[in-house]
Amino acid sequence: EHPGMVTTGSPGQLHLTGVPGLQHLHPWISIPFCVMYLVTLAGNSSLLCLVRADPSLHLPMFLFLSMLAVIDLVMSTSITPKMLGIFWFHSTAISLDACLTQMYFVHAFSVMESGVLVAMALDRYMAICNPLRYLSILTSPVVAAIGLATLLRAVVFMSPLTFQICHLPLCSPPVVDHSYCEHMAVLKLACGDAAFSSTYSLSVSTYVGSFDSLLIALSYALILRAVLSLSSPQARKKAFSTCSSHLCVMALFYIPGLLSMYMERYHQELPPHVQVLLADLYLLIPPALNPLIYGIRSKQIRDGARRAFSWRRPMAGGTDPRQGLQGTGMRLVKTKAIP
């Protein structure tokens, strides 16, 4: 065996370069990355606590939003602490097992996030275009089944990818020109034939990105068609604003991710830092924005937050304010949902 060879059978270490060519700017790059991570932690954790504590938010829309929050927390935490370690402390070393684990988590949870975004788009379509049957169709078992299906799809798609790279010999120098263990970047270290792994990775990413974004676009097109039939200009304007903000966040998730992968495969002459920053941003920006776009802009979430902060405040007659407000919220929803 070559003395510089790193294989899965040896306790090898890899080294992540961070953002290639911009190492001198790492302290500055770390500032927005750290801010986005803190926003991600605060926003998604608060959202999960709020949905769990408020029974009036135990509706399909907010259950899907909770799934998205969990995925965002796991995906961000799997890469950002290590990235900040590279930027701040030059801690570039990562064990091969940890690298493969990080790679699996990043790509599997990206596929899961895409699936949940589709589910949320379909949920909005049902709520707006078929409100009378909304709660009777999207029952809790159906929501759980959709969540399980997104998990299984990610496992089925990503397991062969990790399995094959585990069995490829990796050559020296064991340096990954990336800020995390991205599949295509790690694959460049392979000594063996990596054509299948590369083609499979590109095919899965293209399929997931194009198929899921097509379903999302179709859902929102039907939603917008229903919105255009509204008589109130204010209602139309609010619906357009909501849909456009949702689509912008989704575009920030799909477009940079696919661009970084295609550039990694076909445009080696482009600056490496462009590819790496695109791959970083598609994993960092959406998790930070999702709680703001889907959560704070939602009236139910804002009302739930107000109830959470004011539930201890005494009311006339000693009534718990949470119960009255939650009951009203559920009655309103159920009234709309019953034919």
Side-chain angles (χ1 to χ4, degrees):
E1 187 178 6
H2 191 281
M5 179 99 49
V6 178
T7 66
T8 53
S10 65
Q13 272 197 339
L14 304 180
H15 289 271
L16 296 163
T17 60
V19 183
L22 298 181
Q23 281 88 345
H24 61 290
L25 296 177
H26 275 176
W28 296 104
I29 295 172
S30 70
I31 295 173
F33 280 32
C34 182
V35 169
M36 283 188 283
Y37 183 54
L38 292 176
V39 170
T40 298
L41 291 180
N44 288 288
S45 300
S46 300
L47 194 61
L48 285 171
C49 292
L50 189 60
V51 172
R52 181 182 178 184
D54 194 335
S56 72
L57 297 178
H58 294 178
L59 297 170
M61 173 185 177
F62 303 110
L63 296 178
F64 287 130
L65 190 55
S66 298
M67 293 180 196
L68 189 67
V70 171
I71 292 168
D72 284 341
L73 285 170
V74 173
M75 194 163 64
S76 296
T77 302
S78 67
I79 63 166
T80 313
K82 181 60 184 175
M83 262 196 256
L84 295 177
I86 296 170
F87 295 158
W88 289 340
F89 310 114
H90 308 290
S91 175
T92 62
I94 184 170
S95 72
L96 187 59
D97 288 340
C99 184
L100 294 174
T101 302
Q102 185 189 64
M103 183 174 65
Y104 186 83
F105 268 76
V106 166
H107 295 297
F109 276 81
S110 295
V111 174
M112 286 177 62
E113 173 140 353
S114 184
V116 173
L117 289 175
V118 172
M120 291 175 68
L122 295 175
D123 168 83
R124 291 299 83 208
Y125 164 74
M126 288 297 300
I128 293 172
C129 300
N130 199 0
L132 297 181
R133 300 182 61 200
Y134 174 63
L135 290 180
S136 62
I137 293 175
L138 286 176
T139 59
S140 294
V142 170
V143 171
I146 292 172
L148 183 60
T150 62
L151 172 63
L152 290 177
R153 184 180 74 154
V155 170
V156 168
F157 281 171
M158 290 300 111
S159 293
L161 210 61
T162 307
F163 178 79
Q164 196 194 24
I165 206 168
C166 279
H167 291 79
L168 283 174
L170 304 179
C171 300
S172 64
V175 176
V176 181
D177 287 325
H178 216 290
S179 53
Y180 64 90
C181 289
E182 196 267 341
H183 175 258
M184 298 295 283
V186 174
L187 205 59
K188 287 181 179 179
L189 305 182
C191 297
D193 183 12
F196 171 79
S197 188
S198 177
T199 304
Y200 180 84
S201 172
L202 200 66
S203 301
V204 167
S205 300
T206 302
Y207 164 75
V208 170
S210 56
F211 181 72
D212 289 5
S213 57
L214 183 64
L215 286 178
I216 290 169
L218 179 61
S219 298
Y220 277 96
L222 294 172
I223 290 170
L224 289 175
R225 188 180 70 173
V227 165
L228 289 173
S229 65
L230 296 174
S231 57
S232 167
Q234 289 183 337
R236 285 200 299 269
K237 183 178 178 181
K238 183 177 179 181
F240 274 122
S241 173
T242 301
C243 289
S244 61
S245 60
H246 288 189
L247 292 173
C248 284
V249 174
M250 291 176 185
L252 284 171
F253 175 73
Y254 287 109
I255 295 173
L258 288 174
L259 276 178
S260 67
M261 179 157 287
Y262 278 106
M263 287 196 302
E264 188 89 29
R265 175 77 184 269
Y266 295 115
H267 297 283
Q268 301 293 339
E269 71 277 4
L270 286 176
H273 65 267
V274 174
Q275 302 171 17
V276 171
L277 286 174
L278 275 174
D280 289 344
L281 292 177
Y282 103 92
L283 292 178
L284 292 174
I285 293 179
L289 292 182
N290 284 340
L292 306 176
I293 297 298
Y294 295 111
I296 292 177
R297 288 176 65 101
S298 166
K299 186 177 184 301
Q300 296 103 310
I301 290 287
R302 292 198 303 271
D303 291 344
R306 279 194 288 268
R307 289 195 292 273
F309 283 113
S310 64
W311 71 275
R312 292 180 184 275
R313 194 173 300 163
M315 293 182 68
T319 306
D320 186 344
R322 288 182 301 170
Q323 294 175 357
L325 285 169
Q326 287 169 357
T328 304
M330 291 301 287
R331 282 197 297 272
L332 286 172
V333 172
K334 289 181 178 177
T335 302
K336 288 177 64 179
I338 296 175

